[in-house]
Structure formats: C-alpha cells, structure tokens
Amino acid sequence: MGRWWVVALSEAVHGDKALAVTCEGEQLAVFRDGKGAVFALEDRCPHRRVPLSPGPVKAGGLQCPYHGWTFDGATGLCNDIPNLRRDERVPARYAVRAFPAAEANGFIHVWRGAGTPAAVLPGASYRAAGREQTGSAVANIAFEQYLDVMLDGPECLVSFPGVHITDFFLGDPRRDGEHLVLDRGAVWKCKGNGPAFVRDHSLWVRTRVPLRGGDIRVELLSADEEPLVTIFIAASENRRGTTSLVWRGFRHATAAPLSWRWRMARAIGRAPFAIFPHIDGAAVAALEVAPSRDRRLAKTDARTPAERVVPVQERCAV
Amino acid sequence: MSEVPMMDAAGREAEATSKRDWVPINLDLRDTWFPVAYSADIGERAVRRIVHAQDVYLWRDGGRLYAAEFRPDRLEAMRAGASAFTNGSGFYPAVERYGYIWTWYGNPDNAHEELIPNIPFLPPDGQGIPRYTQRAVRFDAASPLSVENLIDLTHADFLHANAIGDSQSENDVVEVHSTSETVTRIRNVTRKSVAPVMRWIGGVRAQYQDLRAVLHVHLRNNVCISYPNFTPGYPIPNVQPFVPVGKHRSRVDQTNYTVHAPAPFRWLMPRISYVIQPQDNSVLRPQNARYFESTERRDLSSRFDGPGNRYRLLMVRLAERQQRGDFGYGADADPSADISAVLGMRG
Ligand code: FES
Ligand SMILES: [Fe+2]
C-alpha cells in the first residue's frame, strides 16, 4: 500500500519552472499549471533519460529541455513531440510516470506506491496559528536514522533559542496510531543551577515520530503542557544516505511564564526554532539507542497492540 | 486522427533498435586510431592522455615522437608490466597527421596508417593549421552519448536556442547513409533565417541562406567530420574526435577550420564551443549516469531519431562483431578513402 509524502513547501513551486525534489530516493519534478494545480512526474524523460525538471512548464505540461517532448502533469502522457506533421500523432504508450499530487496547509504531497490515494494528507494535521517560519534542506543523515534520532536525541536535529533540551525522556514512547510520541524535559538556559539540579522541568519537548512515512511533529510545551512552539517536519529519503527535509512552524500566543530571553527573542522577531541541515556526526554517533528501539520493533511487529508498543515478554527475549 | 503514422521507415528502425540493449557506457571498440592530442601541444615534457581508461604518455625527444604506457622516467622500471596494447614494448604505434597525434588502440600488429580517417579539408602534414582553429573541450559522458548528441539535430532548438537561433526554414530534409564503420547524416535546409552570429560578425548580409550540412562519423574512434556549407556564406568545416576517457568522460580536441571565413568570424567562431559545450553537458551528465541503470525501460524514439538510432544499431553490431573476435574492417570500409565528395566539398 502506498502513502502520501510531503515533498515541498507550497510557496516553493510557482511560475513556469518545475522544482526538482527527491522522495524515497527517487527524483521527481513538481510543477503547477496555469490554474495553480500541482503535479508530480518522474524526473526522467522516457526519450533519452534527461531530467525534466530544468525544462519549462508549457500549456500542455512539462517540456523536456533536451528535445522538447511535453508531458501532461496528471497522466504523464506525452502530448507533443516538436516538428511532427499535423497528421502525425504521438503513440499512446509514450509517457512518463506520473504521481498523484495534493496540497494541504502549505505542503505539497505526492502519493507513492500502490492503491488509491488516502483521503487524509499528513500535512492536514498541521494548522498554523501565528507567524510561520518555513524552510527546506537536505540533511547529512540517513532517513531512518533521522527518525530514530528524533526520539533518541532531538537536540542533535532541532533547537529552540534559550532552551536546553535534556536527554531525560519520560517513560517509553507512547503509541498514537501510526506514530510514537515521546516527551523529554527541557529548561530555560541560564536559569537556576542547570538542568541536573531542577526538581521539575520547566518545559517539555514532545516529538511525534512516524513508524512509516516521514511526518514528524516537534513541540515545545510549557510545564503545564501548553504549546509554545509547534513544528511540522516532513522527512524523506534523499540520495546517498541523505534526507530531504521540509518544515513549517510557529510560535503560539501564550500566557505561560517565559524566560526574559524568550520574550526578548520574540520582541525582536527572532525565529522561535532552528532545524539543523548540518548534523553533528560525533553527537549523533554518541547517542545511545534508547526509545528508537521501540520504533524499530513496532515497525516490524504487526501484532503490536495499539496502546502498547512492545509486549513485555518480547522485550525481555532475544 | 489515426495513430502511429509517425512510424515511417526511420521510426520503425528506431523502434527496432530501442528493443535492443543500448549501453553506450560499455562500448570499447578496438583496432582503431585515436587523435589523442594536437601535434602542437606535444613537446619534450611528457603529457598524459587517457584512452578507454588507459594511460598514453606523449613526448618528443631528439625530434622523435613517443607514445608510451608509462611516463618516460618510469619507463624502464615499469616496462615489464606493459600490456598487449603495445605488444609488451610499452610503446604504442603513433602517427602525426592533420595536426593531430594519432595513437593505436588495439592489437599493434593491425596498426596500419591507411586506417586513419581521411579529413579532406585539413593539410595531411598539419602544416599551417592556425592555433585559433584548435579548441579542446571535455564532455561529462561516454563518447557514444556525445556522438549521439552531435548526430541529433532536433535538440538545437531547445538546448542551444540562444546560440544557434530559431529553426525557421522553408524546407528541412535529413538523410542517413551508413557503412559497417561509418554513419553519414546529410541535412539540406532551404531558405533558413541567417544565424545571428553569421549576420553580426560573419559578414552575411542576406536574410535567408541555404544550408547543406554533412556529418560523417567513424564508429570505432568517434571521429566526427563535419562540413556545413552556407549559401550565401561559406563552409565551416570541422573535426570533433570524441576520445573516450572512460565510462563517464570524453575529451575532444576540435579543429574548427574557419580559415576561409572572413575575419573576425574566423577567430571567434571556434570559441562557440565554449557556449555550446556547457549546454550539452547539462544534459549529458545526468543522462550518462542513467545509462548505467538496468535497461528494462528502453528509450522511446520518434522518427527524428532515425540517424541516432542507426548509429546505435551500427555500434551494437560492431561491438558484437568484436565480441566474437572479429576486429577486421569490412569490404565496405576504407577509412582513408577520400570523402570530399561525401562531404559535398566544392572544387
Ligand atoms: S530527452 Fe527528453 S525530449 Fe529528448
Ligand atoms: Fe548539442
């Protein structure tokens, strides 16, 4: 069964140019027609294998930059080979692979794999309520590792200015449908005697990581679990062990007690979070495999009850 | 409208070819001369060139030319490791002609000078070929893909639109001829709009001109000999030998023989390759990588690919013949035969 992947920010695809993206290791060309509808084609011309994405978008679809064959966005069918006579027609089987594409809340999704595209888009779970900060990057870490590190050590992947994310996580990951959710303690920097001495953490960082697919949610919460920052990060396998990232996030309006730094940063319009495109290899390598173990097990174990990740006896086995 | 009348004879040939494996990256044709360097580029200091991932060191000593598998200072120490390409001597057969140094790639016993391609517009002894006609460019693809790019006429309107101008013309006819060792593509265009470069610096004031362009390709060594003749105007004969460096790269020491064209066109025209080459490379580089993929999905073709697909077919045939151990030249092949009539040279 296939699934939806977020491949781009809505605002990154515009005009008569296509955007080259990589999803599940495969290169795609994403573009819009004159009416704004979005399409995704395999980024490989069936004529002489050249990438289509550098070509212009024409009325009939995306035009290959090499010889001008043009492909319909919805069907992938080749509808123009330049210089044909009027009585000549392009054979019906001349086509490039086309992928269903859809948009929600500022994310462009592509359906990959078998089956009818699911009605619910991953990006539908994100709703901005505040000024957004968005971005995209290719991170120097493999896709599955990115998801695992989001559980084992999210401080290697994201930061909130003025916030120290501790590695004290609460219990084991909770299963929430097709996701694992884990909270960990965080403290304001330069407040008190440092994270080791706090009796109770003043903040939480909650990561919600998929078993399959690439939709991640990271939240900074107050001690009362009131959201301060929400980030939706879409990850997908890029080439050579790298990971494509696309994100949107925002700072919530809140009455929760905040550090002076946080208020200052908000006042001068500083970004409320950062996503790292360059990941510290030494820091990642030093992480113990801890909650991500549950993710790997849950991925392979179809019998897992929805509310528990792994039956106890199985966890003791091996 | 009915379907597929697009498949005329050339189209059907294209179809037939594309059903076969086309693996341009692995073609390694033997027993041929490669123009590995301009004669003028080689002096006493050894220069390293590569043919099919194999080293060729070139230098002169006491007026003599040497082409060896090893650098001169290591030659004695390494000679024991010399390959069959030099019969264990370490030295390749080498000949100077048309301003190039040609080295033999294959069994040295079969290295005959008559197998060097005839280039009728260049002086055989290379004397008086101006240096401004010689430009070395590099392509990020195996040689056969670059040759296909040269044979292929339809990409110019898209990839080179800004450099070459539009393709408006009254009539545009392409024919292909071939032997077991060559492909010849002849293009006749009547009343085409004069290319901007010819109008502005080439002294052609007319609005329209006719073009007869002949491209003659030698399959084994990828030597492409071109004779585009413009009326009104003049011919711009050129040689583009795609020397295979390996499965991913090729090197071309071009000779754009513009000596009969007016100044400053004569000097500027050879530089156009520095505009064209990056444009071609932008498609060749990703293309080449994708020809390493499994060939389950064969390339689709249109009738405009007739000449290119003929080239593919002949290359595959030649490779198959060599796989069977037959490295000889067929009765229909004589590389050194005078091709001035084939090229349509006047006088
Ligand atoms: S490679 Fe795309 S049209 Fe030729
Ligand atoms: Fe070209």
Side-chain angles (χ1 to χ4, degrees):
Chain A
M1 189 59 188
R3 71 177 52 253
W4 287 109
W5 294 86
V6 171
V7 297
L9 297 172
S10 286
E11 59 268 35
V13 182
H14 51 81
D16 61 358
K17 279 191 158 40
L19 181 73
V21 301
T22 303
C23 183
E24 289 191 286
E26 192 175 349
Q27 294 168 285
L28 307 175
V30 180
F31 64 99
R32 293 181 191 278
D33 67 9
K35 296 197 199 87
V38 41
F39 302 102
L41 298 176
E42 183 185 5
D43 203 1
R44 174 193 186 276
C45 184
H47 179 219
R48 292 295 179 264
R49 309 187 191 190
V50 162
L52 294 170
S53 53
V57 177
K58 299 282 181 180
L62 185 55
Q63 186 180 58
C64 178
Y66 200 2
H67 307 97
W69 290 23
T70 304
F71 301 91
D72 177 70
T75 61
L77 289 174
C78 176
N79 53 30
D80 186 38
I81 293 178
N83 302 317
L84 287 186
R85 288 188 309 267
R86 293 185 95 158
D87 60 333
E88 291 176 305
R89 240 184 97 151
V90 180
R93 64 187 175 83
Y94 277 31
V96 66
R97 280 169 63 208
F99 299 88
E103 223 166 345
N105 298 329
F107 291 109
I108 292 174
H109 300 71
V110 169
W111 177 264
R112 293 181 46 84
T116 326
V120 181
L121 299 169
S125 68
Y126 166 87
R127 199 65 54 96
R131 200 165 65 84
E132 280 190 295
Q133 188 201 338
T134 64
S136 60
V138 178
N140 53 324
I141 184 170
F143 170 64
E144 288 292 339
Q145 292 295 336
Y146 192 85
L147 298 182
D148 285 349
V149 171
M150 226 9 130
L151 293 169
D152 292 336
E155 68 277 10
C156 298
L157 309 178
V158 290
S159 71
F160 302 95
V163 172
H164 181 105
I165 303 173
T166 77
D167 70 348
F168 193 83
F169 50 89
L170 300 189
D172 294 328
R174 254 181 310 117
R175 178 81 175 255
D176 174 13
E178 280 287 278
H179 291 77
L180 293 184
V181 181
L182 185 65
D183 290 356
R184 65 183 60 231
V187 295
W188 298 111
K189 277 183 192 162
C190 306
K191 235 186 163 188
N193 296 326
F197 297 93
V198 299
R199 192 160 301 199
D200 283 296
H201 291 118
S202 49
L203 298 163
W204 303 112
V205 170
R206 177 173 294 166
T207 51
R208 187 169 179 274
V209 179
L211 298 179
R212 288 168 203 85
D215 59 315
I216 301 162
R217 196 162 63 212
V218 181
E219 281 176 305
L220 180 67
L221 308 171
S222 71
D224 304 327
E225 295 183 48
E226 188 193 339
L228 304 176
V229 177
T230 297
I231 318 167
F232 184 101
I233 307 170
S236 166
E237 184 195 340
N238 202 311
R239 312 207 297 163
R240 293 173 171 263
T242 63
T243 300
S244 306
L245 300 176
V246 169
W247 65 83
R248 311 187 83 93
F250 62 95
R251 180 194 277 123
H252 293 258
T254 177
L258 302 166
S259 78
W260 64 271
R261 275 207 194 191
W262 184 262
R263 281 176 310 212
M264 181 71 94
R266 187 176 57 186
I268 62 170
R270 245 189 91 191
F273 65 89
I275 308 290
F276 304 155
H278 304 293
I279 289 156
D280 179 352
V284 167
L287 290 173
E288 296 297 348
V289 177
S292 70
R293 208 174 280 281
D294 291 0
R295 186 178 160 269
R296 294 287 173 133
L297 281 168
K299 253 176 91 82
T300 52
D301 186 3
R303 296 162 301 162
T304 305
E307 69 287 353
R308 277 298 289 181
V309 174
V310 193
V312 177
Q313 67 273 24
E314 266 201 49
R315 223 188 295 168
C316 302
V318 177
Chain B
M1 264 195 291
S2 65
E3 187 163 324
V4 205
M6 190 181 84
M7 293 294 144
D8 58 6
R12 278 192 300 277
E13 180 177 50
E15 281 287 273
T17 313
S18 60
K19 290 211 175 60
R20 307 168 68 119
D21 257 10
W22 172 239
V23 192
I25 46 180
N26 289 331
L27 290 167
D28 181 348
L29 302 174
R30 310 252 163 132
D31 279 15
T32 187
W33 293 99
F34 281 108
V36 290
Y38 298 119
S39 287
D41 276 355
I42 304 305
E44 292 187 350
R45 205 169 140 252
V47 164
R48 181 189 184 194
R49 293 293 156 86
I50 320 275
V51 177
H52 284 302
Q54 194 164 304
D55 287 336
V56 179
Y57 290 94
L58 303 162
W59 72 94
R60 297 181 197 274
D61 191 4
R64 246 200 85 181
L65 171 72
Y66 294 90
E69 289 188 64
F70 312 108
R71 263 173 46 182
D73 53 317
R74 298 192 195 138
L75 194 60
E76 278 317 310
M78 311 271 290
R79 188 162 355 224
S83 73
F85 285 85
T86 60
N87 266 348
S89 73
F91 291 104
Y92 298 101
V95 174
E96 292 192 70
R97 193 170 294 174
Y98 304 123
Y100 289 106
I101 293 170
W102 303 74
T103 58
W104 181 255
Y105 180 76
N107 179 352
D109 296 339
N110 301 332
H112 306 296
E113 286 191 29
E114 313 83 77
L115 294 173
I116 294 177
N118 171 258
I119 307 173
F121 49 81
L122 291 181
D125 62 2
Q127 291 305 306
I129 297 178
R131 291 242 73 185
Y132 66 76
T133 65
Q134 299 180 330
R135 297 277 152 184
V137 290
R138 294 176 177 83
F139 286 93
D140 299 346
S143 293
L145 273 183
S146 301
V147 173
E148 273 196 308
N149 172 276
L150 199 63
I151 292 176
D152 163 26
L153 291 164
T154 53
H155 78 277
D157 295 344
F158 296 92
L159 205 57
H160 308 307
N162 58 349
I164 293 174
D166 63 64
S167 63
Q168 301 306 313
S169 70
E170 223 170 69
N171 204 8
D172 192 339
V173 184
V174 179
E175 10 168 334
V176 204
H177 305 281
S178 58
T179 69
S180 58
E181 295 286 342
T182 58
V183 173
T184 310
R185 187 208 69 207
I186 302 168
R187 181 188 194 189
N188 270 301
V189 191
T190 44
R191 271 181 76 81
K192 72 183 272 296
S193 39
V194 171
V197 58
M198 266 207 161
R199 170 137 359 141
W200 300 123
I201 59 166
V204 178
R205 299 280 169 255
Q207 205 175 355
Y208 298 102
Q209 60 187 173
D210 294 346
L211 164 65
R212 182 184 152 83
V214 181
L215 171 68
H216 188 65
V217 179
H218 290 269
L219 302 176
R220 290 198 199 210
N221 53 10
N222 318 301
V223 170
C224 300
I225 303 164
S226 242
Y227 197 83
N229 195 4
F230 297 88
T231 333
Y234 30 82
I236 313 173
N238 62 83
V239 184
Q240 301 195 59
F242 292 85
V243 175
V245 171
K247 292 184 175 73
H248 309 266
R249 297 286 186 272
S250 59
R251 178 199 166 100
V252 188
D253 284 8
Q254 305 180 334
T255 304
N256 284 289
Y257 207 57
T258 50
V259 295
H260 303 301
F265 184 84
R266 184 192 305 166
W267 304 307
L268 293 174
M269 198 277 148
R271 288 165 193 259
I272 200 173
S273 46
Y274 291 144
V275 178
I276 302 284
Q277 183 267 359
Q279 294 172 342
D280 281 326
N281 260 348
S282 74
V283 295
L284 288 171
R285 193 183 305 110
Q287 222 192 342
N288 197 68
R290 286 154 180 221
Y291 278 95
F292 283 86
E293 293 167 2
S294 82
T295 47
E296 266 155 50
R297 292 193 291 166
R298 301 285 154 78
D299 293 351
L300 304 177
S301 291
S302 79
R303 66 176 164 86
F304 306 109
D305 299 312
N309 283 327
R310 175 86 62 95
Y311 169 73
R312 289 184 171 194
L313 185 70
L314 291 164
M315 286 294 274
V316 170
R317 272 193 201 147
L318 197 47
E320 285 169 354
R321 192 148 69 76
Q322 295 211 345
Q323 253 151 36
R324 293 195 302 268
D326 176 5
F327 295 91
Y329 283 75
D332 65 340
D334 178 4
S336 64
D338 183 4
I339 57 164
S340 45
V342 174
L343 296 181
M345 291 170 62
R346 288 172 295 203

